[in-house]
Amino acid sequence: MRAGTLAAVAVAAWAAGAAANEIAGPDEAVVVVEDPSGSAARVRGGPGGGEARSAEQPPGEEDGGDLLDVGLDGYYRARAYAVGNVLYIHEAVARSQYYLTQRLRLQPVVSYGDYAKLRVTVDCLDNVVWGDNAGLASTPLFASDPSLTGLTGSEVPYVLLRHAWIEADVRLGIVRVGRQPSHWGLGLLTDAGEGFDDDFGDNRYGSSYDRVLFATMPISVGRAIAGLDPGETPLILAVAYDKLVEQPLDEGSTRPNYESAWLADNEDDVDQWTVALAWKQDGLDLLAPTDSISAGVYFVYRDQASTRSKIYIVDGFFKLHLHDFFAEGEALWIGGTSSAIPLGPEQPDGLYAEKEADILGWLVRAGWRPGRWTIKVEAGYASGDDDPNDREFTGMALHPDVNVGLLMYEELLAELTRAAWVDNDGMWSKGGVYNSHYLMITGIVEPIDGLDILLGVLSAWVDKPDGAILLNDGWLGTEIDLAVRYRFHGDTIRAVLEGGWLRPANGPLDLAEACLPNTVCLANTDMWTVQSRIAFVF
């Protein structure tokens, strides 16, 4: 196998978290790798799959003609929500929500053989709520043209060019340049938000970066350079640079026209450097031919000189599949210091009191899948902060596209964190696991091909009372979720009907005996939801 092919396998494995890839067997001439856009990249030259071309041989001569190819992936989804007893802002009476959303995602790719690709993600009507919700019609009763109102109540563009990046084989590795999705491990820190990979709910967000990334298989490539058999050592090394901010802009302000000096000020730039090592090995054949193991560690350094910010992140994951048994987990730690976190009073220099970060999060799953049924146990943790205004900053939600149930995190705590920190959206959980330990047990039965029935039970406990939302230690609530999924015409049409019931703990959540104006109040009643989704996947 030539070095360039090894590197192509490496970058696809890295981009998908070095865990979700399906690689053809050792006798195949084509290696199939799943990337985060959900499309399969076919990499030429597996064992027995042809000879390496010389550096002088143009790719076109090898294949005898035009290598340009255009493909398209994506999906359209429509989702309906009925959520009871979820609005607690400015009111003492529980209310319910009934609404529908949609998204069309288009993911074209232009390929030049297996040597270079241009990948694009375009989102249309991205999580737009059905109907005219922006007053386009003077009389709502006679509205005919729907608006572009998103879930936050703000208007969103008809078309959003979310990603655009190139991916090129440079012989010793793969280089990716541009605005691209980012995914690692189980997605606790960075999650591409692709596909329909959760037991309950859908992905809404996804992580994107303006990034330059180089990925390779260092041992195999090194052996190939030395003239040795590259072997099958599945160690992947990736290095990335991300430009997070060129110059920040205060909310509500505008940058003057023809003012280019902002590009010359480097003190307020936010830069990020990432190094990742991952091991992905299929075909272990310990208990079955499909046995596999994946593991990796991810190091991040982020800084901004003007706010004296230096942030360090360490994240590790593993995935193990042995016959009918599977287990996976991820843990992260975020440390460092910053004067940019808007908690507490603003200082005379325009910054905030320096915070020292010490944030922890983890998730582990294990299960048994002997045939048409699956049982799995999942536990997770997101550290809380008992005093958001002191020097120590220890609380942050896990990524919101790691969906745990339908109500407790997705609706209740998402709403309460928005209300508690109205002007600081960085503190919103957006549906991610927040300030708690949780345990969830899920059973899945597939009575016929294409039909899945799921039952999940979730319980959670407060990590640290934060003085804003969770006032006491102890039990946070218990939730029961049920879903029926069916796939028509293969996986082209995917339909889901799901529902949930939540008994929240009144003590830890109740902020006041009476719901006063501008406070968050939990109605002392159970919550429920019924949701459905239909999607066309291509």
Side-chain angles (χ1 to χ4, degrees):
M1 184 183 290
R2 66 184 180 90
T5 297
L6 287 167
V9 176
V11 73
W14 147 262
N21 316 317
E22 295 181 358
I23 301 179
D27 296 328
E28 296 291 334
V30 176
V31 180
V32 180
V33 184
E34 192 74 15
D35 72 10
S37 68
S39 61
R42 286 171 171 77
V43 181
R44 196 181 310 276
E51 299 177 353
R53 62 179 172 88
S54 67
E56 295 77 21
Q57 180 184 9
E61 293 181 16
E62 177 185 3
D63 292 83
D66 188 1
L67 295 181
L68 283 177
D69 186 32
V70 179
L72 179 65
D73 295 307
Y75 61 82
Y76 173 82
R77 76 175 184 214
R79 188 173 185 90
Y81 297 82
V83 187
N85 305 329
V86 72
L87 294 181
Y88 312 107
I89 303 173
H90 313 316
E91 299 184 27
V93 179
R95 297 178 59 191
S96 299
Q97 300 173 335
Y98 305 92
Y99 62 97
L100 298 97
T101 65
Q102 58 196 311
R103 171 193 275 174
L104 171 63
R105 171 159 290 185
L106 304 173
Q107 295 174 308
V109 56
V110 181
S111 303
Y112 182 70
D114 297 317
Y115 310 104
K117 294 180 174 65
L118 170 64
R119 297 183 181 273
V120 175
T121 303
V122 178
D123 283 340
C124 308
L125 305 176
D126 187 26
N127 290 315
V128 165
V129 179
W130 283 26
D132 174 12
N133 305 293
L136 301 181
S138 58
T139 303
L141 188 62
F142 301 111
S144 59
D145 295 325
S147 64
L148 296 169
T149 310
L151 287 167
T152 63
S154 302
E155 298 303 286
V156 300
Y158 265 114
V159 178
L160 172 64
L161 182 61
R162 188 173 297 276
H163 305 131
W165 79 95
I166 59 173
E167 181 178 304
D169 181 347
V170 293
R171 307 284 292 166
L172 298 180
I174 289 291
V175 172
R176 293 175 60 170
V177 180
R179 184 163 297 184
Q180 54 196 269
S182 176
H183 191 96
W184 175 256
L186 279 64
L188 298 193
L189 178 67
T190 177
D191 191 309
E194 295 287 354
F196 303 92
D197 58 348
D198 295 295
D199 289 337
F200 301 98
D202 279 334
N203 295 318
R204 292 182 180 176
Y205 300 97
S207 302
S208 300
Y209 289 104
D210 289 328
R211 166 173 288 176
V212 178
L213 179 146
F214 173 74
T216 188
M217 283 179 156
I219 296 177
S220 298
V221 171
R223 289 177 60 86
I225 292 174
L228 303 175
D229 181 353
E232 298 293 334
T233 306
L235 179 67
I236 301 161
L237 168 67
V239 180
Y241 165 74
D242 305 324
K243 172 62 75 171
L244 302 185
V245 177
E246 180 64 40
Q247 185 190 59
L249 188 65
D250 293 335
E251 184 177 358
S253 62
T254 58
R255 192 167 279 119
N257 291 333
Y258 308 109
E259 175 58 63
S260 61
W262 66 281
L263 295 170
D265 185 1
N266 299 322
E267 288 293 305
D268 49 11
D269 291 7
V270 182
D271 298 298
Q272 178 171 284
W273 293 263
T274 301
V275 178
L277 283 171
W279 182 282
K280 180 178 182 353
Q281 187 170 358
D282 294 317
L284 290 178
D285 203 12
L286 297 178
L287 299 177
T290 56
D291 294 346
S292 64
I293 186 170
S294 301
V297 62
Y298 183 94
F299 303 94
V300 179
Y301 172 68
R302 180 182 299 179
D303 72 353
Q304 185 183 34
S306 63
T307 60
R308 301 185 293 274
S309 299
K310 296 182 181 297
I311 300 297
Y312 308 90
I313 304 173
V314 181
D315 186 307
F317 83 94
F318 78 93
K319 290 191 175 186
L320 176 66
H321 182 224
L322 294 175
H323 194 46
D324 297 333
F325 172 79
F326 62 91
E328 57 188 10
E330 182 178 352
L332 66 88
W333 172 78
I334 303 175
T337 58
S338 176
S339 297
I341 301 173
L343 294 173
E346 187 173 337
Q347 305 297 307
D349 59 2
L351 302 178
Y352 295 88
E354 185 178 71
K355 298 282 187 179
E356 185 171 342
D358 186 13
I359 298 167
L360 296 172
W362 55 263
L363 184 156
V364 63
R365 300 187 188 107
W368 189 35
R369 186 184 295 120
R372 287 190 175 271
W373 61 274
T374 303
I375 184 71
K376 63 181 177 181
V377 179
E378 175 179 328
Y381 170 72
S383 61
D385 195 331
D386 55 7
D387 185 356
N389 294 314
D390 66 6
R391 176 177 170 79
E392 295 184 351
F393 181 58
T394 60
M396 189 182 78
L398 303 182
H399 197 285
D401 281 336
V402 179
N403 294 338
V404 179
L406 292 169
L407 284 169
M408 186 182 303
Y409 295 114
E410 288 288 314
E411 300 292 344
L412 176 58
L413 287 177
E415 181 66 25
L416 294 177
T417 55
R418 280 194 297 268
W421 291 289
V422 174
D423 298 323
N424 184 5
D425 58 5
M427 297 293 293
W428 300 357
S429 73
K430 300 180 180 179
V433 175
Y434 172 84
N435 191 5
S436 59
H437 304 258
Y438 76 86
L439 175 67
M440 187 166 190
I441 301 174
T442 304
I444 306 173
V445 178
E446 185 183 8
I448 60 174
D449 290 345
L451 176 65
D452 295 323
I453 301 173
L454 297 84
L455 176 64
V457 179
L458 167 67
S459 284
W461 296 265
V462 177
D463 179 44
K464 295 179 182 178
D466 55 20
I469 296 173
L470 309 180
L471 298 186
N472 303 308
D473 285 315
W475 178 59
L476 183 58
T478 295
E479 175 180 336
I480 298 175
D481 297 304
L482 178 66
V484 179
R485 304 186 301 211
Y486 191 68
R487 301 182 299 277
F488 299 88
H489 311 301
D491 286 337
T492 303
I493 302 295
R494 305 186 186 189
V496 172
L497 177 63
E498 53 192 349
W501 169 86
L502 169 64
R503 169 63 58 89
N506 294 329
L509 296 171
D510 198 2
L511 292 182
E513 293 182 1
C515 297
L516 303 175
N518 301 317
T519 64
V520 180
C521 175
L522 174 69
N524 295 323
T525 183
D526 295 346
M527 298 174 60
W528 57 267
T529 185
V530 177
Q531 302 179 22
S532 65
R533 180 251 294 153
I534 188 165
F536 180 88
V537 182
F538 53 92

